[in-house]
Each structure stands twice: as C-alpha cells, then as structure tokens.
Amino acid sequence: MAGKIDAHLADLGITLPTATAPVANYVPYVISGKLVHISGQITMENGELKFIGKLGADYDVETGQKAARLCALNLVAQLKAAIGDLDKVTRVVKLNAFVNSAPDFTDQPKVVNGASDTMVEIFGDAGKHARSAVGVAALPLGVAVEIDGIFEIA
C-alpha cells in the first residue's frame, strides 16, 4: 500500500528514478541515529547522464534548475531505497549543492533552487532545509550539478 508521500508524488505526476549504485568505493547512504546521509547524486536519468557542461557557458539558470531538480529526485529515490517508506521522513535537514560553473558565473543559489523547490513540493514544510550552493571548476563525468543531502526520519 502506498504511503501519503507516494500518493502525493503520483498526484504531482512525479515518478522517482531507480536509485543508482555507487560507481566507486563508497555507499549510497548511511543511516546514523535518526539521520540519513545520502551520497552526492548527479544528473543521471534512466541510466543516462544528462546536463553535461557548465552553468554560465553551456547552460542558463533555468536549465540548471532542471538539472538540480533531477539531482533532488535522485536524492529522494536513494532515500526511499534506504528507508523504504518516505512517510518516515520528518525533515529535509540540509542539501549541499555543487554547480559546475564558468569562472564568472555567480547564480549558483538560483540554480540550486531547482532542488530546494522540489523538496518543498514533495515534503511540504518538512522539505524546508539549510543548504550550501557552491560553484566548482569541474564535477564527476562533467555533469552540471551534484547534490548530497541529510534527512531526518522518525
């Protein structure tokens, strides 16, 4: 039987991607007490990399927000794989976002709003979180955005 969050996702027309396996020597998540730490999620969709390039050179803010949203959906997919039932989530605690940026690009916070808005869309007030939005010179596999997260569960 689907929980409230799963039903809400269906109402929103959101299908979570399949949680991907790690590609190096790390685990996709760690549960410590009531916190679930999700490893960095990139712009992978249906086994295919999306949004390869730099913000401010290859992509504009709006496209970057779509990339950040995809990372957020991948985070939620990993979270569901970790805990089974998304109704156990009591709070999105923190997102750490990395934006592959051209040297003069300074709109990382606007890009990361694509992920933040998605968390609030899915979890309501419990989706409001602390965050970092950092511009970097490069990301793994050349992706435009990578985001990790910390979630509190009941």
Side-chain angles (χ1 to χ4, degrees):
M1 184 169 151
K4 291 179 188 176
I5 297 294
D6 286 332
H8 183 57
L9 287 168
D11 289 345
L12 293 170
I14 296 174
T15 301
L16 292 178
T18 302
T20 58
V23 296
N25 189 19
Y26 65 93
V27 294
Y29 59 84
V30 170
I31 299 173
S32 180
K34 292 185 173 195
L35 296 179
V36 183
H37 297 256
I38 306 291
S39 294
Q41 299 298 301
I42 60 174
T43 54
M44 182 76 71
E45 184 176 46
N46 300 321
E48 183 181 336
L49 286 172
K50 302 284 186 179
F51 305 104
I52 305 298
K54 292 186 177 292
L55 273 292
D58 305 304
Y59 298 117
D60 61 12
V61 169
E62 184 178 339
T63 305
Q65 290 171 338
K66 291 175 185 174
R69 178 179 176 84
L70 180 55
C71 291
L73 294 175
N74 284 325
L75 280 167
V76 175
Q78 285 291 357
L79 181 61
K80 186 170 183 173
I83 65 173
D85 180 2
L86 291 172
D87 288 351
K88 293 179 184 176
V89 175
T90 57
R91 184 78 190 208
V92 179
V93 177
K94 178 141 193 224
L95 299 181
N96 295 302
F98 306 92
V99 179
N100 189 354
S101 301
D104 60 346
F105 185 78
T106 59
D107 283 333
Q108 292 84 1
K110 291 178 184 175
V111 168
V112 180
N113 283 343
S116 295
D117 293 348
T118 301
M119 291 301 171
V120 173
E121 181 182 18
I122 293 171
F123 296 107
D125 283 343
K128 294 179 180 176
H129 53 273
R131 77 171 197 199
S132 298
V134 180
V136 296
L139 284 172
L141 306 172
V143 296
V145 180
E146 179 177 1
I147 304 175
D148 66 47
I150 303 170
F151 301 81
E152 183 182 51
I153 55 174

